[in-house]
Amino acid sequence: MMNKVVLIRHGESEWNKLNKFTGWHDVELSQNGKKEAEKTGLLLKKEKFFFDYSHTSMLKRAIYTLQYILNKLDQPWLSVQKSWRLNERHYGDLEGFDKNEIIQKYGDKQVLLWRRSFNVNPPQIDIKDKRFPGNDIRYSNVNINELPTGESLELTVKRVIPYWDQVIYPQLKRRKKILIVAHGNSLRALMQHLNKIDNKNIIELEIPTAIPIILEFDEKYIPSKWYYLK
C-alpha cells in the first residue's frame, strides 16, 4: 500500500489580502480563507482521507485552517502537534509592511532577491523589536538563539527539516497517515528536502492557499511522486 503525507498551506489570511509581508505575525484568516479551508476539508472527505496525526505551526492562520479541515473530515478529535519549526519564514524588518511600499523604497530587484532567492536574508530586526519572537510568550520554551531575526529560505530549511526527521518521519515509518498544515515557505522547505529540488527551482514552486499537496512514499519510505489534489 502506498504511504501518503498531505501538505496544506493555510487559507487566505487578512494580510495575504492586504499584500503585506506576514511571516511570524499572527494574523487571522480572511472570510475567504475560512471558506477555502472548509472546502479543502470536504475535498479530503470526498477522497476518503483519514489521518492518524496532524502537525501545524504556532500561528493561528494555520491552526484554524487545520481545525476547519478536521471538522469537515469529522475528525476534530485528532491529535495535533504544534511546532514553531513549521512557522512561516520570518521576514525580519519587512514584516508588517505593504509589499508595494517596500518595492518603492528598495526597488524591484532587491525585493525580488529578498523574496525569491534561496540564501539572501531580509533586513534583520533587533531582539528588542516587538516583532522578535523572543518577546512572545508562546516561544518562551525555545532557546532564544534559535529564534529568527529575519530568514532566507535556506535558514527556514535548517529549522524545518529537524522537525521532519525527528517527529514526522518516525510516524510515517509506523505507517501512520499524516496531515501537515503550515505555510508557503515552511512547506517549500519540506518539498525541497523530500523531492531533492535544487535551490533555483524550489523558488519557482507554487504553494497555493488551501490546496492539498499529496506526497507518496514507496515501501522504503522514499518519496516517489507528488501532486496537487483539486
Side-chain angles (χ1 to χ4, degrees):
M1 192 188 83
M2 190 60 66
N3 302 290
K4 292 177 183 176
V5 172
V6 179
L7 309 180
I8 301 173
R9 181 184 172 194
H10 61 81
E12 180 193 67
S13 76
E14 289 290 354
W15 278 19
N16 290 143
K17 208 166 66 175
L18 294 171
N19 199 35
K20 287 185 173 189
F21 285 101
T22 311
W24 284 40
H25 189 75
D26 206 14
V27 294
E28 299 282 352
L29 288 173
S30 66
Q31 281 306 116
N32 181 51
K34 292 170 190 174
K35 286 179 187 154
E36 285 180 332
E38 290 181 332
K39 188 177 164 193
T40 297
L42 290 171
L43 173 63
L44 291 170
K45 188 178 182 182
K46 181 176 156 242
E47 298 292 330
K48 298 190 166 38
F49 277 87
F50 183 88
F51 298 100
D52 300 301
Y53 291 103
S54 61
H55 299 267
T56 190
S57 72
M58 304 287 277
L59 300 168
K60 59 190 170 193
R61 59 192 187 271
I63 294 166
Y64 292 162
T65 297
L66 177 58
Q67 287 174 355
Y68 283 117
I69 289 169
L70 293 180
N71 284 340
K72 291 297 179 189
L73 276 172
D74 297 327
Q75 275 198 274
W77 44 265
L78 186 70
S79 166
V80 177
Q81 287 176 264
K82 302 182 185 83
S83 175
W84 67 275
R85 291 182 177 277
L86 293 177
N87 277 17
E88 179 55 295
R89 169 186 167 192
H90 197 297
Y91 279 101
D93 202 30
L94 305 179
E95 272 194 17
F97 287 98
D98 181 287
K99 290 174 184 169
N100 293 326
E101 276 176 41
I102 294 292
I103 287 169
Q104 282 166 11
K105 188 173 177 182
Y106 294 101
D108 261 330
K109 199 173 172 189
Q110 181 60 62
V111 175
L112 194 66
L113 269 178
W114 284 331
R115 289 189 66 194
R116 287 297 194 176
S117 70
F118 180 70
N119 56 4
V120 176
N121 292 335
Q124 303 289 291
I125 50 171
D126 190 88
I127 61 167
K128 295 187 188 76
D129 192 304
K130 66 179 193 301
R131 294 170 294 176
F132 176 58
N135 299 318
D136 186 325
I137 194 167
R138 84 189 81 183
Y139 307 114
S140 55
N141 62 348
V142 181
N143 181 332
I144 198 162
N145 298 318
E146 290 191 271
L147 292 170
T149 53
E151 295 175 299
S152 60
L153 182 57
E154 181 179 37
L155 290 176
T156 310
V157 168
K158 283 179 179 170
R159 64 164 157 90
V160 170
I161 301 317
Y163 187 76
W164 169 268
D165 289 342
Q166 293 159 27
V167 182
I168 302 173
Y169 188 61
Q171 293 173 349
L172 177 66
K173 287 183 82 173
R174 300 203 318 272
R175 294 197 170 273
K176 300 300 180 184
K177 297 176 183 70
I178 298 161
L179 171 62
I180 303 167
V181 178
H183 305 265
N185 284 297
S186 50
L187 294 178
R188 215 172 253 123
L190 254 185
M191 289 289 287
Q192 179 178 34
H193 174 70
L194 295 173
N195 298 295
K196 299 193 170 23
I197 302 170
D198 68 36
N199 294 349
K200 191 176 171 205
N201 289 328
I202 191 56
I203 291 149
E204 303 305 317
L205 177 68
E206 283 304 317
I207 313 274
T209 53
I211 300 288
I213 296 172
I214 313 299
L215 284 169
E216 294 190 354
F217 294 78
D218 65 19
E219 66 282 354
K220 291 181 179 169
Y221 304 100
I222 295 165
S224 54
K225 71 172 188 173
W226 69 270
Y227 52 92
Y228 301 103
L229 185 68
K230 291 183 181 177

